[in-house]
Amino acid sequence: MALKIVKGSIDRMFDKNLQDLVRGIRNHKEDEAKYISTCIDEIKQELKQDNIAVKANAVCKLTYLQMLGYDVSWAAFNIVEVMSSSKFTYKRIGYLAASQCFHESTDVIMLTTNQIRKDLSSPNQYDTGVALTGLSCFVTPDLARDLANDIMTLMSHTKPYIRKKAVLIMYKVFLKYPESLRPAFPRLKEKLEDPDPGVQSAAVNVICELARRNPKNYLSLAPLFFKLMTSSTNNWVLIKIIKLFGALTPLEPRLGKKLIEPLTNLIHSTSAMSLLYECVNTVIAVLISLSSGMPNHSASIQLCVQKLRILIEDSDQNLKYLGLLAMSKILKTHPKSVQSHKDLILQCLDDKDESIRLRALDLLYGMVSKKNLMEIVKKLMLHVDKAEGTTYRDELLTKIIDICSQSNYQYITNFEWYISILVELTRLEGTRHGHLIASQMLDVAIRVKAIRAFAVAQMATLLDNAHLLTGNMQRNGICEVSYAAAWICGEFSEHLENPMQTLEAMLRPKVATLPGHIQAVYVQNAAKLFATVLKSQEGNTDSTAAQETSQLMIERLPLFVQSANLEVQERASCILQLVKYIQKLQQKDVEVAEEVSALFAGELNPVAPKAQKKVPVPEGLDLDAWINEPPSESESEDEQPKAIFTKEETKHSRPRHIEVDEKELARRREARKQEQANNPFYIKASPSSQKVYQDTPGVEHIPVVQIDLSVPLKVPGLPMSDQYVKLEEERRQKERAEKKKKEKKKRKEKRSGRGKKHDSGPESEEDITPAHMVDIVTEEMPENALPSDDDDKDPNDPHKALDIDLDNLGEMAGRRPLADSEKLPVRSHRAVEAAKSPGEDGDAETVATQQPKKKSGKDKRDDKKKDKDKERKKSKDEKKKKKHKHEEKEEDLLRGEVHEPVVQSEGISQVAELPTSTSAEVSDLDFWLSNAPVPSNTQVESPPLPLPLISSVNTPLIHSMNYWSVICCFFSRNLSLYCLPMWISDLFFCLVLIFLTLVFFDTASSLKGHITLSSSILQPSSV
Amino acid sequence: MIKAILIFNNHGKPRLSKFYEHYSEDTEQQIIRETFHLVSKRDENVCNFLEGGMLIGGSDYKLIYRHYATLYFVFCVDSSESELGILDLIQVFVETLDKCFENVCELDLIFHVDKVHNILAEMVMGGMVLETNMNEIIMQVDAQNKMEKSETFIFQSTRQDR
């Protein structure tokens, strides 16, 4: 033994500790990975030893390696071992390691439950503290359920150090085990008024987190928080509370009115910028919630904007950033007050800090008007040219488009200008937003009829120069633009000056390198162009020209027929056949142009994106009904709903090829050939076509030369948007002059001799008339579209489960007292009770009243079922629960039959406190909100009332109450038949009867989980 | 809520990483790299906030950082935290480290990452701010260290007895 110890300690001398490990890693910079792997081997050896000190040292090193990115989950069990050491030093190492690498799917975590429970109740506050800290990082639903009650007890610990940790960790517990929120909430609320500021701050923290997600449930706490806000001096707490109020005000405008004054005072008095900023933020939120009908709040707005201006002008970039951020919130409701600071914001666009520029951009969005749009966009375009990073440039691009297109192009007066801006934007190298530009082009061209001729001309130029724009096809998002260009040229081809040239541009072989969905559009629109060209050429009675055009089509289209993309292939082959037929007709001198253009006659109007959804379902049509018998399951699983128009899908996801090595491919090819040769039904392809196939440039095999141009391309013949700014100025000048003239005339006519007073002022918004007669085609909607709001919340949000009605808890337990099932599960260790027969339960009841905190109905059943090994208990929990449900149901019925109110003993109603009327609570908040002075204690204690008889039957179950009465009547009559001495065996019979009745009434399922057992049911006196 | 606290040096070597949400080791390293990439290319006199990276967070999250000599202290927080408050918190953290290590430098963090974790645990717990008062933090840390010392003392003496 002694030898062993000596040996162990000698070994330990050679063990590396954390410092040695770090030093070693630093000394092995070249072969770090190798060195670490030897270290890990050593650690594995160390972990095998019995000495806990060695293990702890090893775990400590593992924690460090975990930070470096090494997976140490294999040591999870050893970590648990170290956690369970009785020494604080090792315990701390163990918990730290656990907090760094345990997570919900770590399976050894279930072994820790009892250890953690032991540590939580340790007399040493630091053991408890370390356990709480560790638990906060790796709490799982199981741990939360099993430990919730222990942690709740700790919330009233004598040491504030423990209290604050326990309060904080409750938030994590709530997240993992939402059922604990209701029972724990009264105590959490108590902690808001804890004497220790740390605990108070923790409670505020937790409630703020909860309230942020589900604010409406926490409105009733407003008076309490208001009191805290006016009394607290801790800036952290104040900030949290003020943030919380920011979340609450949208729900209760009256609260906002009350808040304005203290917040304004704080803004004036505080020296802490963080607090000032949060106050301003909340004032903004308040003002948003009150946005209408409060004339005297313009002062507050002014104050906010003024303070924010100070922030933005500050040399501290952080303040500048936050100022802009808050400004953008004001902008939403009070754009006017922000617009006066346009100079400042444009100045921020030149800031060297990207975050600040982005914020300023956000602000610009709301500041544009018809008057300044061109100016602002011009400035942005300059930034686009200067921008270095693609992300910022892309951001600029989207912002420009957002700004211009907002509220249905409200601010655009000259669409020629807008189109040229879009065309200029296409010169951006490597932007990801090609499709955005494309959709804008399409949208404008379709909806603004007046602009079509101009747009078509521009797009034709774009198509001509497409090879320049899309130098680097595959990666370059900008090639999406050619999608729009081709479509516009095709659809509105009547506006083309030289359709033949465009047609040729669209049929260039280079087009075959474009993504499939774009090629498809090219092919389709080439056909439209073809129709137009034919029409013009036949009009000229020049039959040879028309035939040449057909010949061109026939020559170029086969390239597309061989495309790998199905869509392209299909369209191309259809059109090729069509053209061949046309050529035949042409050779017979038949006039075909009319008929061909009839193919594409009619106008395409834009359809609202939601139109399809809004088509009302006709009466008698069940969309979910099967038309045919449902196919077998395997089929239906494979089937994926396919979009009809697959533009979106194909855009970015190139078909992924499964990589098969060359040999395998060759082997398969050989096998296939063999098979084909032997198959008499296989039609062999003619050798010529196969050859063509190999020669044609498939998208995949072409080595695309990447053209990387450092200079932004200047495409000849494309317009510069700048000229429009000048033009616009001139136009406006002219208009103004004309107007003046008119006014003068008018005045002269009226002979009003007074001097000009007001016409020199700046022109107002309404004065600016659009350059074109803009007629924006509205999107089509089905005739009887239904208005619908379809913003769904994310169903996966973990906070959804915490949306629990918390009012009326505790002393206000009127509407929904805590049901027994809602009490926290407690670990019970009363094995004595297990052996008891129901007859003796009266005694158990008295014990229960003496041990209030250890009791709940559910766990008593647990005991009855035999006390299980603690580890095994959890795994069987599921099974047990089911059994309990039955028992609970039956026994609750028993209680129902007792027709005298059971006065619940105070001990048991540990959390389910006494109910009062709900209206008292509601009017309480109302009272507070409608009264200026803050009552010192707003939560009025109400006199205790006995619990209602069937307290656990909740409101949603009221409809089933009549079943209850039926059962009760039936049962009470039956009871008289049974005499007391035999009541135990009869009781069982009755239970069976009731259960059958329940099943009969089909309420079993709905009652499950709502009806639970109270511990006082089985008193013999009640029978 | 604080989602993660990272400390790395000017070369992106992690000195401390604390994630309050679980990520795999690989993702964690990627997040550290990405964050370093985002933070390190910023000038000294720009604002200390930036929108979260792709990996960590999303639109609701912000990176709030401070740069001290050779180290970056980065907090990834959501919108329920006050930006300026977190900056103050970082300051408190660093000052606390300074007090605990007596003139803290990068080497202290390199060799005593466990101690840094222990100090951090007294400030932030499970992603929520636990304590912002420096004296209180130092008091608790000292008390725990004292306890540790007394334990090792007992341990050594018992070994000597045998």
Side-chain angles (χ1 to χ4, degrees):
Chain A
M1 182 64 192
L3 194 71
K4 210 176 178 183
I5 289 167
V6 170
K7 193 169 168 281
S9 53
I10 288 172
D11 280 349
R12 275 205 62 205
M13 280 168 62
F14 294 107
D15 285 347
K16 286 195 196 88
N17 62 12
L18 175 62
Q19 281 76 37
D20 298 329
L21 173 78
V22 175
R23 205 166 289 132
I25 293 176
R26 282 162 71 82
N27 289 337
H28 291 75
K29 286 220 166 88
E30 280 78 44
D31 51 348
E32 194 182 289
K34 199 176 151 201
Y35 178 75
I36 289 178
S37 75
T38 56
C39 285
I40 289 180
D41 287 341
E42 280 169 27
I43 290 169
K44 280 182 181 163
Q45 286 306 317
E46 286 165 33
L47 287 175
K48 279 181 193 150
Q49 293 188 31
D50 290 332
N51 192 334
I52 190 74
V54 178
K55 269 187 195 167
N57 184 38
V59 165
C60 186
K61 287 189 275 182
L62 281 179
T63 314
Y64 181 78
L65 293 178
Q66 195 271 344
M67 183 183 79
L68 295 185
Y70 290 85
D71 176 28
V72 296
S73 53
W74 48 269
F77 186 74
N78 303 103
I79 292 172
V80 175
E81 280 180 313
V82 175
M83 275 162 75
S84 56
S85 158
S86 58
K87 286 218 162 47
F88 174 73
T89 317
Y90 306 142
K91 194 183 285 296
R92 182 152 81 163
I93 292 172
Y95 272 106
L96 175 61
S99 72
Q100 290 293 86
C101 60
F102 280 14
H103 51 94
E104 273 187 29
S105 47
T106 307
D107 37 7
V108 292
I109 234 173
M110 56 189 259
L111 302 179
T112 60
T113 317
N114 280 296
Q115 179 57 43
I116 295 173
R117 182 174 286 140
K118 214 173 100 194
D119 290 336
L120 289 183
S121 52
S122 159
N124 182 346
Q125 63 165 335
Y126 291 114
D127 281 353
T128 316
V130 153
L132 284 173
T133 308
L135 187 62
S136 71
C137 290
F138 57 80
V139 62
T140 62
D142 282 342
L143 281 178
R145 192 191 58 227
D146 295 341
L147 297 172
N149 207 63
D150 301 75
I151 298 170
M152 224 170 93
T153 322
L154 289 180
M155 280 165 75
S156 340
H157 199 272
T158 50
K159 298 233 168 63
Y161 178 73
I162 300 298
R163 283 210 301 275
K164 70 182 178 192
K165 287 199 169 196
V167 168
L168 269 194
I169 204 179
M170 276 320 275
Y171 178 66
K172 292 277 176 169
V173 173
F174 294 152
L175 279 185
K176 299 289 175 186
Y177 179 56
E179 289 85 342
S180 62
L181 180 55
R182 269 172 65 79
F185 194 70
R187 194 167 292 180
L188 185 59
K189 205 164 129 189
E190 260 169 45
K191 294 297 144 205
L192 284 176
E193 293 177 297
D194 196 279
D196 184 84
V199 181
Q200 199 181 36
S201 156
V204 169
N205 217 335
V206 170
I207 293 187
C208 288
E209 276 304 325
L210 290 169
R212 199 163 69 93
R213 310 294 179 154
N214 301 301
K216 65 175 187 308
N217 300 335
Y218 298 86
L219 259 181
S220 62
L221 290 179
L224 193 56
F225 275 118
F226 192 83
K227 206 177 90 191
L228 278 179
M229 185 175 86
T230 42
S231 60
S232 177
T233 50
N234 180 346
N235 278 354
W236 270 94
V237 172
L238 280 177
I239 287 175
K240 282 280 171 194
I241 294 175
I242 288 167
K243 267 187 173 281
L244 172 69
F245 276 133
L248 291 183
T249 41
L251 304 169
E252 181 55 89
R254 283 176 301 172
L255 178 63
K257 278 183 214 164
K258 226 177 156 63
L259 282 173
I260 287 265
E261 200 201 322
L263 284 178
T264 337
N265 290 343
L266 268 178
I267 291 178
H268 282 302
S269 65
T270 185
S271 58
M273 274 301 182
S274 46
L275 186 59
L276 171 86
Y277 172 68
E278 294 306 337
C279 286
V280 169
N281 250 338
T282 299
V283 170
I284 294 168
V286 167
L287 292 175
I288 290 172
S289 72
L290 305 168
S291 55
S292 59
M294 298 297 291
N296 55 341
H297 284 313
S298 58
S300 311
I301 278 282
Q302 279 313 315
L303 178 67
C304 286
V305 174
Q306 211 181 335
K307 287 282 174 187
L308 289 179
R309 186 166 176 119
I310 293 173
L311 288 186
I312 296 174
E313 280 172 340
D314 199 288
S315 60
D316 185 348
Q317 298 281 346
N318 294 327
L319 297 181
K320 190 175 272 202
Y321 175 86
L322 293 177
L324 288 171
L325 199 64
M327 203 66 122
S328 66
K329 284 178 196 153
I330 299 188
L331 187 73
K332 278 171 203 147
T333 47
H334 301 81
K336 283 265 161 62
S337 27
V338 182
Q339 265 163 15
S340 52
H341 300 285
K342 199 183 85 189
D343 54 323
L344 192 62
I345 286 150
L346 282 176
Q347 208 178 307
C348 290
L349 268 188
D350 295 323
D351 201 285
K352 56 192 174 304
D353 187 352
E354 190 175 304
S355 317
I356 288 179
R357 287 197 306 252
L358 287 176
R359 287 281 81 79
L361 270 182
D362 281 347
L363 274 174
L364 273 185
Y365 178 80
M367 293 183 32
V368 290
S369 61
K370 281 185 181 172
K371 199 168 58 170
N372 61 16
L373 176 73
M374 282 188 172
E375 183 196 339
I376 288 179
V377 171
K378 186 183 166 190
K379 192 144 188 174
L380 291 181
M381 290 300 283
L382 281 179
H383 281 281
V384 171
D385 285 341
K386 277 192 290 181
E388 316 100 39
T390 36
T391 31
Y392 178 59
R393 210 174 48 178
D394 281 358
E395 187 66 29
L396 273 171
L397 193 155
T398 43
K399 268 285 141 22
I400 291 176
I401 290 181
D402 276 355
I403 287 175
C404 292
S405 64
Q406 66 176 314
S407 37
N408 216 1
Y409 308 102
Q410 189 192 341
Y411 299 117
I412 295 185
T413 47
N414 186 338
F415 276 91
E416 278 187 23
W417 165 81
Y418 186 44
I419 292 273
S420 45
I421 285 283
L422 288 175
V423 172
E424 265 178 54
L425 285 176
T426 62
R427 286 174 216 155
L428 288 185
E429 275 285 303
T431 175
R432 283 181 295 118
H433 294 296
H435 59 98
L436 204 64
I437 303 177
S439 65
Q440 281 294 302
M441 286 175 168
L442 285 173
D443 201 38
V444 173
I446 294 168
R447 292 171 62 187
V448 186
K449 280 184 182 160
I451 203 67
R452 279 180 195 165
F454 180 78
V456 166
Q458 290 300 313
M459 295 303 125
T461 337
L462 257 188
L463 278 183
D464 268 347
N465 300 306
H467 54 288
L468 289 180
L469 289 177
T470 56
N472 185 0
M473 294 297 169
Q474 300 310 329
R475 277 189 324 183
N476 200 339
I478 208 72
C479 64
E480 294 293 331
V481 171
S482 43
Y483 177 100
W487 192 88
I488 292 171
C489 285
E491 186 62 28
F492 308 118
S493 49
E494 68 269 19
H495 298 295
L496 271 177
E497 269 176 30
N498 191 350
M500 190 61 203
Q501 189 189 344
T502 314
L503 180 63
E504 268 175 41
M506 275 163 78
L507 292 172
R508 285 195 196 116
K510 181 105 188 178
V511 171
T513 57
L514 285 168
H517 66 280
I518 299 180
Q519 283 187 56
V521 171
Y522 264 72
V523 172
Q524 185 71 11
N525 287 290
K528 292 182 196 166
L529 271 181
F530 175 63
T532 321
V533 172
L534 273 190
K535 210 172 170 185
S536 64
Q537 285 170 341
E538 280 189 1
N540 291 345
T541 62
D542 184 3
S543 64
T544 50
Q547 282 186 20
E548 271 167 25
T549 318
S550 310
Q551 191 56 41
L552 177 80
M553 292 288 277
I554 289 169
E555 277 166 18
R556 298 283 173 85
L557 278 175
L559 178 65
F560 298 102
V561 174
Q562 281 145 358
S563 167
N565 188 301
L566 273 185
E567 181 79 12
V568 180
Q569 205 184 64
E570 190 181 345
R571 285 177 194 244
S573 10
C574 282
I575 291 164
L576 182 61
Q577 289 312 313
L578 180 74
V579 176
K580 277 183 182 162
Y581 181 66
I582 289 169
Q583 198 185 26
K584 257 187 219 162
L585 289 179
Q586 280 174 337
Q587 281 158 0
K588 290 179 197 163
D589 277 341
V590 184
E591 298 238 325
V592 284
E594 280 301 321
E595 281 174 59
V596 176
S597 44
L599 282 175
F600 305 106
E603 194 167 347
L604 292 178
N605 282 335
V607 176
K610 285 180 188 166
Q612 179 74 46
K613 250 193 265 172
K614 300 217 169 182
V615 179
V617 180
E619 252 175 75
L621 175 65
D622 180 9
L623 287 175
D624 294 328
W626 287 101
I627 297 172
N628 297 312
E629 281 302 295
S632 68
E633 265 185 28
S634 60
E635 267 178 71
S636 62
E637 272 171 21
D638 293 339
E639 212 164 317
Q640 292 281 332
K642 273 183 193 152
I644 302 167
F645 184 56
T646 52
K647 178 188 162 194
E648 285 301 317
E649 272 91 344
T650 47
K651 201 174 298 158
H652 297 297
S653 61
R654 314 228 70 254
R656 213 176 281 169
H657 296 280
I658 307 154
E659 286 187 22
V660 191
D661 59 343
E662 280 298 304
K663 271 184 194 171
E664 173 71 358
L665 271 178
R667 198 186 58 73
R668 282 191 200 167
R669 209 175 294 136
E670 206 50 47
R672 199 164 47 234
K673 265 185 193 164
Q674 206 64 38
E675 202 184 335
Q676 286 167 2
N678 296 336
N679 187 351
F681 299 108
Y682 183 78
I683 303 167
K684 290 175 188 84
S686 64
S688 61
S689 80
Q690 205 150 5
K691 201 174 150 210
V692 172
Y693 175 74
Q694 277 161 0
D695 290 346
T696 48
V699 186
E700 258 62 53
H701 339 279
I702 311 177
V704 180
V705 183
Q706 301 190 353
I707 309 169
D708 282 324
L709 297 170
S710 51
V711 198
L713 282 171
K714 291 275 185 247
V715 181
L718 289 182
M720 291 299 291
S721 58
D722 291 354
Q723 74 197 49
Y724 287 100
V725 181
K726 240 181 249 165
L727 278 176
E728 183 71 13
E729 274 311 306
E730 282 168 17
R731 193 176 65 82
R732 281 186 199 166
Q733 216 102 51
K734 228 195 270 170
E735 263 171 29
R736 230 176 294 164
E738 269 172 29
K739 210 170 274 173
K740 268 186 198 168
K741 251 188 219 165
K742 270 185 198 167
E743 273 175 31
K744 267 184 194 166
K745 264 186 192 170
K746 269 184 195 167
R747 273 198 207 107
K748 271 180 190 167
E749 279 163 16
K750 285 184 181 172
R751 283 178 285 114
S752 62
R754 286 168 214 159
K756 308 163 201 171
K757 265 178 194 167
H758 50 275
D759 53 1
S760 54
E763 53 183 338
S764 64
E765 286 288 293
E766 290 73 30
D767 288 345
I768 304 168
T769 49
H772 305 266
M773 268 325 285
V774 180
D775 132 56
I776 295 181
V777 183
T778 46
E779 293 162 327
E780 283 188 347
M781 285 290 254
E783 276 168 22
N784 36 3
L786 300 168
S788 64
D789 46 326
D790 30 21
D791 43 343
D792 296 329
K793 279 187 181 174
D794 179 15
N796 298 326
D797 186 7
H799 299 280
K800 227 180 168 184
L802 287 179
D803 189 2
I804 296 166
D805 179 21
L806 291 166
D807 293 346
N808 325 315
L809 253 183
E811 65 261 49
M812 300 298 176
R815 197 187 308 153
R816 197 157 119 67
L818 277 178
D820 288 342
S821 62
E822 285 185 311
K823 287 185 186 172
L824 292 176
V826 198
R827 179 187 58 149
S828 47
H829 33 70
R830 297 179 58 248
V832 206
E833 210 200 339
K836 279 183 186 166
S837 71
E840 289 164 315
D841 250 12
D843 303 354
E845 164 64 13
T846 53
V847 179
T849 52
Q850 278 150 21
Q851 296 193 340
K853 292 204 170 153
K854 307 274 171 170
K855 287 239 48 118
S856 88
K858 198 182 163 202
D859 276 71
K860 223 166 108 188
R861 298 279 82 69
D862 272 3
D863 292 344
K864 254 188 179 172
K865 282 265 124 188
K866 281 292 159 228
D867 48 333
K868 302 271 176 186
D869 200 332
K870 278 155 204 164
E871 251 68 337
R872 280 162 56 206
K873 190 174 117 191
K874 199 188 299 162
S875 62
K876 300 214 170 171
D877 227 3
E878 287 298 316
K879 244 189 276 171
K880 274 207 247 157
K881 255 189 207 161
K882 273 188 191 164
K883 281 186 189 169
H884 295 166
K885 288 273 162 62
H886 290 286
E887 280 185 24
E888 284 161 10
K889 223 179 291 162
E890 289 160 356
E891 279 161 315
D892 217 341
L893 279 175
L894 262 181
R895 198 158 63 118
E897 133 227 342
V898 183
H899 286 289
E900 52 189 82
V902 183
V903 179
Q904 186 114 359
S905 58
E906 282 179 10
I908 291 165
S909 61
Q910 161 213 349
V911 254
E913 273 156 87
L914 301 149
T916 56
S917 66
T918 341
S919 58
E921 155 73 6
V922 173
S923 63
D924 188 36
L925 181 65
D926 284 348
F927 174 76
W928 178 76
L929 284 169
S930 54
N931 279 280
V934 191
S936 58
N937 190 3
T938 47
Q939 308 285 346
V940 188
E941 291 282 341
S942 31
L945 284 176
L947 267 183
L949 179 61
I950 314 175
S951 66
S952 48
V953 177
N954 295 320
T955 32
L957 286 172
I958 280 178
H959 68 279
S960 59
M961 285 295 280
N962 24 2
Y963 295 153
W964 277 94
S965 49
V966 172
I967 297 164
C968 290
C969 288
F970 164 72
F971 200 69
S972 52
R973 264 198 294 139
N974 265 359
L975 259 185
S976 59
L977 301 174
Y978 298 98
C979 46
L980 230 144
M982 293 168 65
W983 73 275
I984 297 171
S985 58
D986 290 336
L987 186 69
F988 181 67
F989 184 56
C990 293
L991 291 179
V992 176
L993 256 180
I994 296 162
F995 185 59
L996 288 176
T997 327
L998 258 182
V999 172
F1000 177 70
F1001 283 112
D1002 201 23
T1003 53
S1005 59
S1006 67
L1007 291 173
K1008 240 188 205 177
H1010 288 279
I1011 301 168
T1012 46
L1013 173 78
S1014 155
S1015 45
S1016 59
I1017 315 159
L1018 282 177
Q1019 289 180 35
S1021 61
S1022 62
V1023 179
Chain B
M1 287 283 279
I2 299 169
K3 204 173 186 184
I5 296 173
L6 305 173
I7 305 177
F8 42 74
N9 71 359
N10 288 347
H11 304 289
K13 286 257 182 219
R15 294 303 175 216
L16 173 126
S17 67
K18 183 87 202 165
F19 291 87
Y20 294 104
E21 232 167 71
H22 178 255
Y23 293 98
S24 74
E25 273 77 13
D26 287 342
T27 326
E28 286 184 3
Q29 293 303 308
Q30 274 176 35
I31 290 172
I32 294 174
R33 271 198 298 275
E34 191 194 20
T35 316
F36 168 70
H37 189 69
L38 284 173
V39 167
S40 63
K41 68 178 180 203
R42 293 173 66 83
D43 291 335
E44 277 305 302
N45 49 359
V46 297
C47 78
N48 296 105
F49 319 116
L50 66 167
E51 257 90 300
M54 297 286 165
L55 287 166
I56 191 155
S59 58
D60 195 33
Y61 285 86
K62 272 204 189 78
L63 296 176
I64 298 174
Y65 73 97
R66 267 182 190 272
H67 190 195
Y68 293 93
T70 56
L71 291 175
Y72 284 100
F73 288 71
V74 187
F75 280 46
C76 176
V77 303
D78 69 8
S79 61
S80 74
E81 300 293 342
S82 149
E83 291 88 347
L84 295 171
I86 293 291
L87 277 181
D88 284 351
L89 187 70
I90 299 179
Q91 185 66 32
V92 171
F93 184 29
V94 174
E95 279 177 27
T96 313
L97 287 176
D98 199 49
K99 285 253 170 77
C100 290
F101 286 109
E102 285 154 17
N103 278 330
V104 68
C105 68
E106 196 187 339
L107 281 177
D108 292 318
L109 270 72
I110 296 173
F111 286 107
H112 301 284
V113 67
D114 48 342
K115 285 186 184 148
V116 183
H117 268 297
N118 294 336
I119 294 168
L120 185 61
E122 296 302 322
M123 293 181 65
V124 180
M125 191 177 118
M128 280 176 289
V129 179
L130 180 69
E131 184 60 65
T132 52
N133 181 347
M134 187 160 60
N135 295 330
E136 172 78 15
I137 298 167
I138 292 173
M139 198 184 85
Q140 302 294 357
V141 170
D142 282 349
Q144 292 180 48
N145 289 343
K146 212 173 276 171
M147 216 168 96
E148 198 172 303
K149 255 180 210 152
S150 70
E151 272 183 2
T152 46
F153 179 70
I154 295 165
F155 183 65
Q156 277 162 356
S157 59
T158 49
R159 276 211 316 182
Q160 278 158 10
D161 290 346
R162 284 178 201 171

